[in-house]
Amino acid sequence: VTYGSVIKLQHDRTKYRLHSHDVPYGSGSGQQSITCYSGHDSNSYWIVRPKGRSSFRQGDVIADGAVIRLQHMRTRKWLHSHLLQSPISGNLEVSGFGGDDDSDTGDNWKLEIDGKANVWLRDQKVRLLHLDTNGYLHSHDKKYNRIVPGQQEVCGVRKKSSDSLWLAAEGVYYPATKIKASSA
């Protein structure tokens, strides 16, 4: 997985994919909702970007411990979190926020590779730790009944678990150009 790659991030246990569309939450922040979806459509594609003002470029590999941002390909919103409660479980809300020229620290996620690899590989289990809230990107079997019926809630939780494991599945992967010494 390299910067600039367009991926579907798959929840390891349920096999649902990280998903978003221009549907706001009816509570909490009112920002764009983030779910996990079992189907295959273009609303599950995310562009892997470095944190703002970074020297990393398209095609650079992503090291364990790197701080990344994920931008929703269709709506251009950033995967975001904050201290508001998620709609179903009451954990940390994860939302879509901002746009191409509108990003803040709430969009920064630290990559934690599960295993011994030192760079992010396709089909490799990873965790994403939200830096502002110290919550792991998480999903579970709890599903919405209205607005996005059958889609799983995505939230942040402060403890590592098997429900905070993800992997890069389908996508367009840029070939690796180089490995940089710094990961953050």
Side-chain angles (χ1 to χ4, degrees), residues 17-23 32-35 41-44 46 72 74-75 77 95-96 151:
R17 283 151 181 80
L18 189 68
H19 187 81
S20 192
H21 36 267
D22 195 11
V23 174
Q32 185 169 300
S33 59
I34 304 292
T35 63
D41 72 17
S42 59
N43 285 316
S44 296
W46 298 85
H72 190 247
R74 289 185 55 106
T75 65
K77 303 284 187 191
S95 64
Q151 294 185 27

Side-chain angles (χ1 to χ4, degrees), residues 107-126:
D107 307 332
N108 292 334
W109 300 82
K110 180 180 176 185
L111 178 74
E112 294 182 0
I113 295 174
D114 186 56
K116 296 182 181 187
N118 59 3
V119 295
W120 191 6
L121 303 173
R122 184 177 172 177
D123 296 325
Q124 177 181 48
K125 294 176 187 177
V126 299

